[in-house]
């Protein structure tokens, strides 16, 4: 087992670390750089992207033939962690959710270069954004897609979509949208995935749902389909392969969430370390108190556990495995670790950490979603329990 990074990946990692420190972090302290949803304005994002592209730090998740870096999941794990020391770093490199996950699945499932040029390349080039419309309000499907109520009915050479989706990340302003709809009552092959453009008639965004924390670009929206017609050639894979498309997308996408969350968790400890090294209490620096050392040490250890789980899952996917249980373990562990690291940092920084003078309160509100998005932690634990029941002692086997 070799835990060294290749010279190429290490070079990318260090250059990304330097870029984030020089160009992204300085933007965080100026409220003039942010919109009403606490996200970077398009102007600063555009400047960052021009710099990143000029330095060859663009779309790490995409093949070189498309203008990306083609690092694979292992390389992405190392580099996403570095770029996410600022929550706004992934935007600079066009490696943010949900677009990176959409790009990866379209690269795998679109059947022709012509389709990729139309639907994928604008995302890679940064001239379009995407959304993945799957989750529905009650009584539709959330963590259980078999409950989905949105339907797609074949009429001639087109599919007609009716239904309602909610919490669709990035929907406001997205141009290319993947929608999952019910095409039969088959419990395993009843869903199908389709592509459509934002300009197509027959759908609309009903509202941008207010949330507890800061938002990604495009928010988290409630979307209504009322007769949207999609040509059959814009169907992804075969009829009934909707869950397959979802699995292809969500496995790596869940893992890239973990990569980004680890970067944020590390940044939280950086902020706490800087503060406790200069703040005094009872005659000594805070970081000389044994209790503070325990808190920092435990959080640092948890981050390393999450890094190893994430890197192992990334390696397995690079070997061609779906790594379902490994991704689930990483997702649960890192979601908890993100909250713990930020909470620890706020506690150690005291009122300073609770204030808006640091990034910690922004990160704290953002972190609460980690245990919910892309499958609640309880769902992943249930999946792991089932796999352990099936595999027994081989649940902990090595390799793929």
């Amino acid at each position: 087992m070799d835990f060294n990074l290749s010279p190429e990946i290490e070079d990318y990692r260090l250059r990304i670390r330097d870029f984030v420190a020089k160009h992204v972090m300085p933007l965080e302290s100026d409220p003039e750089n942010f919109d009403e949803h606490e996200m970077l304005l398009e102007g600063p994002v555009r400047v960052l992207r021009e710099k990143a592209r000029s330095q060859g730090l663009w779309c790490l998740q995409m093949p070189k033939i498309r203008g990306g870096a083609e690092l694979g999941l292992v390389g992405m794990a190392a580099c996403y962690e570095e770029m996410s020391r600022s929550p706004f770093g992934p935007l600079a490199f066009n490696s943010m959710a949900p677009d990176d996950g959409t790009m990866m699945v379209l690269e795998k499932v679109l059947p022709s270069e012509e389709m990729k040029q139309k639907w994928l390349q604008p995302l890679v080039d940064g001239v379009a954004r995407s959304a993945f419309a799957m989750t529905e309000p009650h009584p539709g499907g959330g963590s259980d897609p078999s409950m989905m109520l949105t339907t797609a009915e074949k009429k001639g050479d087109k599919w007609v979509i009716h239904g309602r989706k909610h919490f669709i990340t990035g929907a406001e302003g997205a141009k290319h949208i993947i929608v999952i709809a019910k095409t039969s009552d088959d419990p395993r092959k009843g869903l199908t995935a389709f592509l459509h453009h934002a300009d197509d008639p027959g759908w609309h965004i009903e509202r941008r749902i207010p949330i507890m924390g800061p938002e990604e670009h495009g928010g988290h929206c409630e979307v209504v389909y009322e007769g949207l017609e999609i040509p059959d050639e814009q169907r992804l894979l075969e009829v009934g392969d909707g869950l397959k498309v979802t699995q292809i997308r969500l496995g790596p996408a869940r893992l890239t969430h973990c990569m980004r969350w680890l970067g944020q968790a590390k940044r939280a400890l950086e902020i706490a370390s800087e503060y406790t090294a200069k703040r005094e209490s009872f005659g000594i620096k805070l970081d000389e108190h044994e209790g503070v050392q325990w808190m920092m040490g435990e959080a640092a250890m948890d981050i390393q556990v999450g890094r190893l789980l994430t890197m192992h899952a990334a390696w397995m996917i690079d070997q061609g495995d779906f790594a379902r249980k490994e991704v689930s373990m990483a997702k649960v562990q890192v979601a908890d670790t993100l909250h713990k690291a930020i909470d620890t940092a706020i506690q150690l920084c005291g009122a300073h950490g609770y204030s808006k003078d640091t990034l910690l309160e922004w990160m704290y509100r953002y972190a609460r979603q980690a245990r919910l998005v892309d499958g609640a932690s309880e769902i992943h634990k249930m999946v792991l329990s089932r796999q352990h029941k099936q595999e027994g002692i081989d649940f902990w086997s090595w390799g793929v």
Side-chain angles (χ1 to χ4, degrees):
M1 296 181 184
D2 186 355
F3 289 93
N4 291 301
L5 299 175
S6 72
E8 178 192 25
I9 293 173
E10 180 67 0
D11 177 66
Y12 271 109
R13 185 184 73 83
L14 293 177
R15 288 196 290 137
I16 288 170
R17 171 185 285 186
D18 183 66
F19 185 100
V20 170
K22 286 183 178 179
H23 303 299
V24 184
M25 288 183 181
L27 300 176
E28 296 171 350
S29 58
D30 187 352
E32 294 296 318
N33 292 320
F34 295 87
D35 64 18
E36 67 272 26
H37 302 293
E38 301 180 272
M39 288 301 296
L40 276 180
L41 293 165
E42 291 294 341
V45 171
R46 189 161 49 248
V47 172
L48 287 174
R49 288 185 158 198
E50 290 171 357
K51 291 177 180 177
R53 195 192 290 265
S54 70
Q55 295 183 27
L57 301 174
W58 187 254
C59 256
L60 308 185
Q61 68 277 9
M62 280 288 99
K64 292 179 180 179
I65 194 173
R66 306 234 163 267
E70 201 169 339
L71 292 191
L73 267 293
V74 165
M76 289 165 58
C79 293
Y80 271 45
E81 183 181 295
E82 292 291 352
M83 70 174 65
S84 300
R85 286 173 61 233
S86 172
F88 315 107
L91 280 167
F93 308 102
N94 201 14
S95 296
M96 69 291 181
D99 290 348
D100 63 337
T102 302
M103 291 183 221
M104 287 187 282
V105 74
L106 292 182
E107 175 64 27
K108 290 180 179 179
V109 305
L110 286 176
S112 68
E113 181 60 27
E114 180 183 4
M115 291 281 285
K116 290 180 180 181
Q117 285 297 324
K118 178 179 179 180
W119 295 101
L120 171 60
Q121 198 62 48
L123 302 177
V124 179
D125 294 341
V127 298
R129 290 194 292 100
S130 69
F132 188 78
M134 181 174 177
T135 304
E136 298 183 355
H138 178 79
S143 294
D144 183 358
S146 68
M147 297 174 63
M148 189 170 295
L149 298 178
T150 298
T151 60
E153 183 181 359
K154 186 78 177 293
K155 292 187 177 180
D157 60 351
K158 294 183 178 181
W159 294 85
V160 182
I161 314 294
H162 286 92
R164 182 181 292 267
K165 305 287 186 178
H166 75 164
F167 293 106
I168 306 306
T169 303
E172 188 175 270
K175 295 298 183 184
H176 299 175
I177 298 128
I178 297 174
V179 58
I180 309 295
K182 187 175 182 179
T183 49
S184 80
D185 292 326
D186 188 316
R188 296 185 61 84
K189 302 284 285 184
L191 303 180
T192 304
F194 304 91
L195 265 171
H196 74 89
H197 194 276
D199 293 339
D200 295 336
W203 80 290
H204 69 274
I205 295 173
E206 187 157 289
R207 64 181 179 130
R208 183 166 173 155
I209 303 171
I211 62 170
M212 168 182 166
E215 302 181 21
E216 285 83 2
H217 280 297
H220 305 277
C221 301
E222 188 160 0
V223 176
V224 177
Y225 289 91
E226 44 194 0
L228 171 67
E229 295 184 353
I230 301 179
D232 187 54
E233 60 263 26
Q234 290 169 210
R235 169 177 38 84
L236 298 178
L237 298 183
E238 300 301 324
V239 175
D241 280 344
L243 280 180
K244 184 176 181 180
V245 171
T246 298
Q247 289 168 348
I248 292 171
R249 185 190 185 278
L250 288 184
R254 285 170 176 142
L255 208 57
T256 58
H257 275 318
C258 293
M259 299 169 192
R260 287 184 285 259
W261 294 339
L262 287 165
Q264 284 197 40
K266 289 170 66 177
R267 177 70 182 287
L269 293 198
E270 288 181 55
I271 295 171
S273 294
E274 181 180 353
Y275 183 81
T276 57
K278 64 183 181 183
R279 179 73 167 173
E280 290 191 5
S281 175
F282 300 102
I284 61 174
K285 296 288 194 295
L286 281 181
D287 64 1
E288 296 176 18
H289 287 278
E290 187 177 62
V292 170
Q293 293 169 0
W294 285 355
M295 294 169 71
M296 289 289 288
E298 186 174 357
M301 179 178 64
D302 286 345
I303 290 172
Q304 182 65 357
V305 171
R307 296 176 81 223
L308 293 172
L309 285 169
T310 300
M311 187 62 83
H312 182 216
W315 175 83
M316 290 191 71
I317 292 175
D318 278 348
Q319 307 311 305
D321 195 279
F322 278 114
R324 290 188 180 95
K325 69 183 179 188
E326 289 76 15
V327 169
S328 286
M329 284 189 278
K331 170 67 170 56
V332 172
Q333 169 69 24
V334 177
D336 287 342
T337 295
L338 175 64
H339 179 271
K340 179 176 180 179
I342 300 169
D343 188 70
T344 297
I346 290 175
Q347 189 70 18
L348 293 177
C349 291
H352 180 62
Y354 190 70
S355 75
K356 291 184 181 290
D357 286 348
T358 75
L359 195 62
L360 291 173
E361 65 84 29
W362 188 106
M363 295 165 65
Y364 191 79
R365 288 181 290 117
Y366 175 87
R368 185 57 186 87
Q369 69 173 313
R371 305 207 304 272
L372 300 171
V373 300
D374 282 3
S377 293
E378 292 74 19
I379 299 296
H380 288 286
K381 291 176 183 178
M382 184 172 67
V383 169
L384 290 169
S385 176
R386 288 174 179 171
Q387 288 183 295
H388 175 254
K389 185 175 181 180
Q390 292 170 0
E391 298 172 12
I393 193 67
D394 292 330
F395 180 88
W396 295 281
S397 63
W398 298 109
V400 293

